[in-house]
Amino acid sequence: WGIPDMGIFVPADEDELLEGLPAVIADPRPWYIRFIGFPGRITHTEPFELGRAETLREGDDVAILSYGFCVGLAVEAADRLAAHGIGAQVVNLRTIAPLDREAVLAACDLPLVVTVEDHFLHSGLAAILATVLLEERRTADVLPIGLPTWFRPGTLDRVLEHAGFTPDQLADRIRHRLEEA
């Protein structure tokens, strides 16, 4: 996000990677692609388009913004929240640059916006969201979920559990935040 005119594509899974690559390759700007090799895990609802987010779940209580493999975790967390009567919108920000500002700002109309990313909190999606809100002179209740520091090495399932990224842990953190409000 910090290199001018560079695109950033972070596919949620292999299906999205394969669908998005032709558009990325055809685009004249340089691109950074960040992909962790997951097979298709979610049902994509919209065709890939550079700079356009994909809404995977609708909800009125909380918006979960995510990208990359964390999108699948966010969808599973939304399903767990639904079991508790909480409607969670899940937005897949397929490209961080260009960013779908319209989708980000629409998410900020909900009572809570949650960012879920396997990135450091200080320079990731939460920081991007803060910049957009500042530029638009808006506020939102935001719960950033990311890595505060380097993660503990291990198998992915153990790393996710240690970092608080399992779907159950995500849903619990979101429910707790909503209860505080």
Side-chain angles (χ1 to χ4, degrees):
W1 198 58
I3 300 174
D5 298 321
M6 175 172 259
I8 301 173
F9 175 36
V10 191
D13 54 29
E14 189 176 87
D15 294 341
E16 190 165 72
L17 173 70
L18 294 174
E19 185 181 0
L21 269 179
V24 167
I25 291 168
D27 193 74
R29 80 186 108 202
W31 280 85
Y32 169 73
I33 300 171
R34 183 170 181 240
F35 178 66
I36 297 176
F38 280 125
R41 297 175 43 175
I42 56 178
T43 301
H44 293 281
T45 59
E46 300 168 25
F48 180 87
E49 185 180 334
L50 296 177
R52 295 292 271 159
E54 171 188 38
T55 301
L56 296 168
R57 295 281 190 282
E58 295 289 346
D60 296 326
D61 300 311
V62 59
I64 305 172
L65 303 176
S66 192
Y67 60 80
F69 86 91
C70 287
V71 171
L73 302 173
V75 167
E76 291 180 44
D79 292 343
R80 284 160 175 77
L81 290 168
H84 292 276
I86 298 169
Q89 177 187 76
V90 178
V91 180
N92 175 12
L93 296 171
R94 300 164 149 182
T95 60
I96 300 300
L99 181 70
D100 188 339
R101 290 174 68 96
E102 183 178 306
V104 169
L105 289 169
C108 293
D109 290 335
L110 296 183
L112 177 64
V113 181
V114 179
T115 60
V116 178
E117 61 183 322
D118 61 329
H119 192 281
F120 295 122
L121 287 173
H122 67 272
S123 62
L125 183 54
I128 293 168
L129 175 60
T131 299
V132 170
L133 288 170
L134 180 66
E135 290 171 350
E136 296 292 327
R137 297 179 181 198
R138 290 188 53 187
T139 61
D141 186 11
V142 178
L143 172 60
I145 299 176
L147 300 171
T149 184
W150 292 106
F151 58 87
R152 181 177 163 198
T155 60
L156 182 58
D157 59 335
R158 290 195 147 181
V159 169
L160 293 174
E161 184 176 356
H162 183 264
F165 278 78
T166 68
D168 287 331
Q169 290 169 318
L170 293 172
D172 288 346
R173 290 170 76 175
I174 293 167
R175 279 191 8 240
H176 179 71
R177 180 61 169 266
L178 288 169
E179 290 168 0
E180 289 178 344

